[in-house]
């Protein structure tokens, strides 16, 4: 009932005895069997990212819960609505030390306590009388304000009972306090009434609220160059007003441009200003500017933090596009300087990558992209290279795994994205270490004929760890030699290729994109490649 009521179309999970009554009676949504609970939670996160719709994860209790912790944490970090339902032993059997029991007795653990720190809320349903209200409240909480993950732990005997016929209030999605009388609305309206040098920064909240088309128009109207945080690359396209990237892509050329531009106002949309995007260096570059932050975080809204003022951004969903925006005059000198800065950044990074295969591969992949192709990047050196060297041409071209940044989560999330939109084609750039973590997800891709190319960058090592060990030259347990990923893919019935040159890889990518079915390409590179951004900044973290 509640799956249908709240628009849940997909349920991902793994069955077990403690969840069977619910598992056997899913009627209003498609139930997708996964090969591992962690995989199911990551797939659900990817589905919610691409679709912006709520999604459910269903597992047994005990190990089902502990296996889901990372994926549910990732969903909550990325502010996507995931309802996680786990089973538990019958109420009458609690405290008897049965298999997969939860609680506080004899070194048992309580799943709701484990999940509380990685969700908006985690509760156990203890009686059938309060079940309906708690389920309703959980679904509502996942979808209101800054969205996120919730957890329900339901005893197996309650799963078999009929819910009482009680009425709950009709669901209406909450939009925080973002009314047209809000301070945030009034502040944004001031943009139209006086001229200042402005810099716009788009964060992940622009994707979640679909506010980015409006912000693009607004940036053009007020002549504001645009920067993007790592997760907001999904909103990025070839607009003339796109200046570059903060986070992984921030660099010496961009820093110099911003200092010279000397913005008087920095307006940030949909970001909580985490240090991975807003580095100390970048904050120094904008230290003279007034800063206005429009955020989905209800706890930040209305807060003043020195020169930073926080507002709720939900009103942007219905913010009007004014007629006069159609007759705006472009600042041609500013546009030329933005274009020149982008070109100089590309040359700057190329100067560090003359003898590296991966940066060139990333730049060549860019030439393959059309408006129906999405590239994802898992945690690892390859993510850093994609972040620096791939400037999207169209929105939805690029999704980076930057929430929990767990190895192997990105390939699972890509499978979820393909469930959400199977008309797109996907290139999931991953590493050999990531494949060892969650490579079994290609089983799901094959079973459902999802159009994903798993591009495995094989440097026969845990690449980021190895780079960190380079300072001492003491490589302790970071090698991953002698794994045949082509053979692995073939075992699942998936077509696979092995290449060791960029040109060969691009040819196989072109061929595979036309197939529209799961394919694995193993690209072998040197263990000694160092990501360009680390060379450029001299950072070894």
């Amino acid at each position: 009932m509640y799956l249908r009521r709240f628009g849940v179309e997909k349920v991902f999970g793994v069955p077990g005895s403690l969840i069977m009554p619910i598992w056997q009676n899913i009627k209003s949504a498609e139930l997708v069997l996964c090969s591992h609970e962690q995989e199911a939670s990551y797939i659900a996160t990817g589905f919610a990212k691409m679709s912006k719709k709520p999604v459910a994860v269903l597992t047994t209790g005990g190990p089902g819960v502990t296996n889901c912790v990372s994926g549910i944490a990732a969903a909550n970090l990325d502010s996507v609505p995931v309802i996680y339902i786990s089973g538990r032993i019958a109420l009458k059997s609690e405290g008897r030390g049965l298999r997969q029991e939860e609680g506080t007795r004899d070194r048992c653990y309580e799943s709701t306590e484990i999940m509380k720190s990685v969700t908006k809320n985690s509760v156990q349903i203890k009686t059938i009388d309060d079940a309906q209200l708690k389920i309703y409240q959980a679904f509502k909480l996942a979808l209101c304000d800054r969205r996120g993950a919730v957890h329900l732990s339901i005893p197996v005997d309650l799963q078999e009972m009929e819910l009482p016929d009680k009425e709950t209030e009709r669901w209406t999605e909450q939009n925080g306090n973002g009314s047209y009388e809000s301070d945030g609305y009034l502040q944004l309206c001031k943009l139209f009434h006086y001229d200042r040098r402005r810099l716009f920064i788009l964060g992940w909240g622009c994707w979640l609220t679909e506010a980015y088309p409006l912000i693009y128009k607004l940036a053009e109207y007020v002549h504001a160059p645009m920067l993007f945080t790592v997760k907001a690359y999904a909103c990025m396209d070839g607009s003339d007003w796109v200046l570059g990237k903060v986070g992984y892509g921030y660099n010496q050329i961009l820093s110099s441009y911003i200092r010279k531009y000397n913005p008087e106002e920095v307006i940030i949309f949909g970001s909580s200003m985490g240090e991975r995007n807003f580095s100390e260096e970048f904050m120094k570059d904008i230290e003279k500017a007034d800063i206005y932050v429009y955020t989905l975080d209800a706890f930040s809204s209305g807060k003043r933090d020195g020169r930073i003022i926080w507002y709720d951004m939900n009103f942007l969903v219905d913010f009007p596009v004014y007629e006069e925006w159609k007759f705006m005059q472009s600042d041609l000198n500013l546009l030329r300087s933005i274009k020149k800065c982008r070109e100089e950044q590309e040359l700057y990074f190329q100067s560090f990558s003359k003898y590296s295969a991966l940066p060139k591969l990333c730049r060549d992949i860019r030439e393959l992209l059309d408006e129906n192709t999405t590239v994802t990047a898992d945690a690892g050196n390859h993510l850093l290279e994609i972040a620096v060297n791939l400037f999207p041409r169209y929105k939805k071209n690029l999704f980076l795994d930057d929430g929990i940044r767990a190895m192997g989560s990105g390939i699972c999330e890509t499978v979820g994205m393909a469930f959400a939109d199977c008309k797109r084609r996907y290139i999931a750039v991953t590493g050999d270490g990531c494949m060892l973590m969650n490579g079994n997800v290609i089983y799901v891709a094959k079973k459902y004929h999802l159009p994903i190319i798993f591009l495995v960058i094989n440097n026969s090592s845990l690449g980021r760890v190895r780079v960190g060990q380079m300072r001492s030259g003491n490589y302790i347990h970071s090698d991953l030699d002698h794994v045949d990923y082509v053979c692995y893919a073939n075992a699942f019935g998936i077509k696979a290729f092995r290449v060791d040159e960029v040109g060969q890889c691009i040819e196989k990518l072109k061929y595979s994109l036309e197939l529209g079915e799961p394919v694995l390409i193993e690209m072998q590179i040197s263990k000694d490649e160092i990501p360009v951004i680390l060379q450029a900044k001299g950072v070894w973290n």
Side-chain angles (χ1 to χ4, degrees), residues 127-128 132 201 232 273 365 380 422 427 455 464 487 496 508 513:
T127 71
I128 195 63
Q132 188 169 359
I201 303 176
M273 294 188 67
I365 287 175
C422 64
I427 302 173
L455 177 53
R464 290 293 292 117
C487 183
K508 295 301 182 186
L513 285 169

Side-chain angles (χ1 to χ4, degrees), residues 1 50 176 220 223 319 332 347 376 432 501:
M1 175 176 73
M50 180 61 80
E220 188 174 357
H223 301 162
F319 195 84
L332 296 181
L347 292 172
T376 65
D432 45 337
E501 294 180 359

